[in-house]
Amino acid sequence: VYPSRNPVVRGIITQPDFIVGVIRALKGLGARKVLLAESSIIGPARFSFEAVGILPKIRGIAIPVYLDEMDEVEVKIENPLAQKSFKVPKIWLDADVFISLPKIKTNLFSGITLTVKNNLGMLRQFERLSYHDHRLHKKLADLFKVRPPDITLADCIAAGEGQGPLMATPAELGLIVASNNAIALDTVACHLAGFKPDDIEYLKLLIEAGYG
């Protein structure tokens, strides 16, 4: 969202040192191969990896995956709320384990950005923009059904408040929030950020669909 090494992004993007810590923990637990995947809305994903300075930090422990260069497959959504299908990276669906590393921050379009909205990063830019209007919450719920994370580790060391997603101010909380249920995690994160989970439409939709 904001590929930069400037301290101002502490409350905007998941921080490289946090990501590297997760990768080292996975390797220590016996993971044979760790793929670090990302897309970007400002230039190609390769640029984002360079801009945040993470490539030297993951050398030898993880493989960078530039999602905008990956082969895609179309996935149809059962009982869609807004979008009937999505083109997503095949490598995402093929992975043995999907670990999501969201930043907890406010968002002008959806109220708050959490694990559910992090799946939006799997889409190419033109795919993100469709239904990015009053139907956004329904689109997020549909996309989450493609593949919910097996594990979520949320960077709440510095959360983002104010004019998110691009102008969020760091709010130092010093926390990592983790769960094997993304909806449970997002519910807790709402309380941490001062939101009522019932006020976040995509959470309500997914809980009603049995994901909570």
Side-chain angles (χ1 to χ4, degrees):
V1 172
Y2 196 148
S4 170
R5 303 177 207 190
N6 191 302
V8 73
V9 303
R10 272 180 58 78
I12 299 173
I13 65 171
T14 305
Q15 291 296 284
D17 287 343
F18 174 78
I19 296 168
V20 171
V22 172
I23 292 169
R24 292 193 180 281
L26 294 171
K27 297 292 282 188
L29 289 166
R32 295 191 307 275
K33 183 192 295 185
V34 178
L35 307 177
L36 176 60
E38 178 63 296
S39 63
S40 177
I41 60 169
I42 303 177
R46 284 179 181 267
F47 166 75
S48 289
F49 274 77
E50 292 281 359
V52 301
I54 200 169
L55 288 175
K57 297 174 181 283
I58 66 169
R59 190 170 293 123
I61 59 171
I63 301 166
V65 172
Y66 312 114
L67 291 174
D68 53 0
E69 300 176 15
M70 298 292 105
D71 292 335
E72 292 184 310
V73 294
E74 186 171 1
V75 178
K76 295 188 183 303
I77 304 302
E78 188 174 344
N79 301 319
L81 299 168
Q83 193 162 339
K84 295 179 180 179
S85 66
F86 293 92
K87 286 186 176 179
V88 301
K90 185 175 182 296
I91 196 169
W92 176 34
L93 303 182
D94 289 344
D96 296 322
V97 178
F98 168 39
I99 299 174
S100 185
L101 304 178
K103 165 68 73 174
I104 295 174
K105 62 183 178 183
T106 52
N107 187 285
L108 292 171
F109 305 103
S110 61
I112 189 167
T113 292
L114 303 165
T115 318
V116 173
K117 197 169 186 297
N118 207 36
N119 272 15
L120 205 61
M122 294 295 173
L123 303 182
R124 304 222 175 154
Q125 188 165 356
F126 63 89
E127 284 272 359
R128 291 192 199 193
L129 294 176
S130 63
Y131 299 97
H132 209 291
D133 48 29
H134 62 282
R135 298 164 292 183
L136 176 60
H137 285 267
K138 292 181 173 66
K139 172 180 179 153
L140 292 173
D142 286 336
L143 180 59
F144 184 79
K145 298 171 188 175
V146 173
R147 184 167 187 184
D150 298 293
I151 301 168
T152 299
L153 295 157
D155 179 4
C156 203
I157 298 169
E161 64 181 2
Q163 298 293 314
L166 289 175
M167 301 294 289
T169 303
E172 304 292 336
L173 296 185
L175 298 172
I176 294 169
V177 188
S179 181
N180 61 1
N181 184 294
I183 306 304
L185 185 147
D186 284 5
T187 300
V188 170
C190 278
H191 288 294
L192 286 172
F195 286 81
K196 294 179 180 179
D198 284 349
D199 292 339
I200 307 302
E201 184 184 352
Y202 63 77
L203 279 183
K204 285 185 67 176
L205 291 169
L206 287 166
I207 289 169
E208 289 168 2
Y211 285 89

